[in-house]
């Protein structure tokens, strides 16, 4: 009999009993609850909706985290608590892509781990070789400018509604001259 994979859901919310199927599936757009077999990615999900800025992905089989503004990782996670939850059962979950698992129904969970400092825990994962962190000062300045100016030009897109203030706060000083969209930003 095959052993069920260890699945995690990272959150800043303490005391969850259910992970609601209220996120949009990357596969078909339906409402789903997300889980991952990647503990590092679950740690990165321990952030508020107002900081829904994920800059990581898998390359050559390992997670890579890219800072897009100075000290991004520290600013977003240092001295912040997180909670890793595990599903009581994996029955309703389907592996949709690599480390990602989805459920179209709410998933009962148990607290697996209380993280007192998410940043410190991510650094432990880096030391263990489970994530490569590309710090802002290590990335080509042209690439960094391209990302900052993209956010400048798209800051009023509906995608950024919940974390527009976050983008303005951390990127406006990195932009070339503000675009008309950035000048008219509603924070």
């Amino acid at each position: 009999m095959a052993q069920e994979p260890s699945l995690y859901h990272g959150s800043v919310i303490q005391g969850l009993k259910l992970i609601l199927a209220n996120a949009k599936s990357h596969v078909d757009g339906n409402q789903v609850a997300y889980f991952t077999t990647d503990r590092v990615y679950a740690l990165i999900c321990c952030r508020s909706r107002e900081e829904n800025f994920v800059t990581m992905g898998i390359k050559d089989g390992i997670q890579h985290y890219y800072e897009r503004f100075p000290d991004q990782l520290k600013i977003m996670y240092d001295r912040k608590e997180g909670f890793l939850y595990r599903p009581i059962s994996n029955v309703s979950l389907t592996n949709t892509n690599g480390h990602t698992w989805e459920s179209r129904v709410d998933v009962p969970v148990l607290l697996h781990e209380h993280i007192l400092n998410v940043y410190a825990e991510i650094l432990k994962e880096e030391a263990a070789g489970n994530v490569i962190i590309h710090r802002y000062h290590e990335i080509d300045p042209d690439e960094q400018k391209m990302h900052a100016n993209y956010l400048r030009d798209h800051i009023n897109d509906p995608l950024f509604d919940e974390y527009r203030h976050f983008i303005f706060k951390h990127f406006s000083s990195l932009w070339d001259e503000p675009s008309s969209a950035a000048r008219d930003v509603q924070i």
Side-chain angles (χ1 to χ4, degrees), residues 5-185:
S6 294
L7 300 177
Y8 305 97
H9 179 92
S11 179
V12 293
I13 302 171
Q14 184 175 11
L16 294 176
K17 302 293 182 212
L18 283 174
I19 302 303
L20 302 178
N22 62 2
K24 187 175 179 180
S25 170
H26 297 298
V27 175
D28 60 17
N30 287 316
Q31 296 291 96
V32 297
Y34 274 114
F35 288 83
T36 181
T37 55
D38 188 330
R39 184 174 180 273
V40 175
Y41 191 80
L43 289 168
I44 295 299
C45 290
C46 293
R47 64 187 186 286
S48 71
R49 293 177 73 89
E50 294 81 27
E51 296 180 331
N52 190 23
F53 192 72
V54 179
T55 56
M56 75 183 309
I58 295 183
K59 181 180 174 184
D60 300 325
I62 189 165
Q63 286 287 8
H64 287 251
Y65 185 96
Y66 298 86
E67 288 190 327
R68 297 300 180 196
F69 60 86
D71 296 318
Q72 176 181 326
L73 195 65
K74 186 172 187 173
I75 288 168
M76 290 182 68
Y77 299 101
D78 194 23
R79 294 185 301 261
K80 295 184 182 173
E81 284 184 289
F83 303 89
L84 298 185
Y85 294 94
R86 301 262 328 262
I88 291 173
S89 168
N90 295 0
V91 170
S92 69
L93 290 146
T94 304
N95 183 219
T96 55
N97 185 17
H99 298 275
T100 305
W101 292 67
E102 296 179 356
S103 172
R104 291 180 186 244
V105 298
D106 299 344
V107 179
V109 293
L110 294 171
L111 178 63
H112 175 69
E113 198 173 350
H114 177 194
I115 310 295
L116 295 175
N117 184 332
V118 176
Y119 178 67
E121 201 64 27
I122 292 168
L123 294 181
K124 287 180 192 174
E125 292 286 350
E126 178 187 31
N130 296 326
V131 63
I132 296 171
I133 299 171
H134 302 271
R135 288 168 174 81
Y136 183 81
H137 67 275
E138 300 168 344
I139 298 174
D140 181 287
D142 290 336
E143 180 183 337
Q144 293 297 39
K145 186 62 74 177
M146 177 191 70
H147 285 281
N149 286 338
Y150 176 86
L151 290 170
R152 174 201 66 197
D153 295 342
H154 295 274
I155 194 164
N156 287 315
D157 290 1
L159 170 68
F160 301 125
D161 283 350
E162 288 188 291
Y163 57 104
R164 186 169 289 116
H165 179 71
F166 172 86
I167 290 171
F168 192 81
K169 178 180 178 180
H170 295 290
F171 286 93
S172 61
S173 66
L174 305 175
W175 296 337
D176 288 330
E177 193 174 308
S179 69
S180 60
R183 282 191 298 272
D184 299 336
V185 67

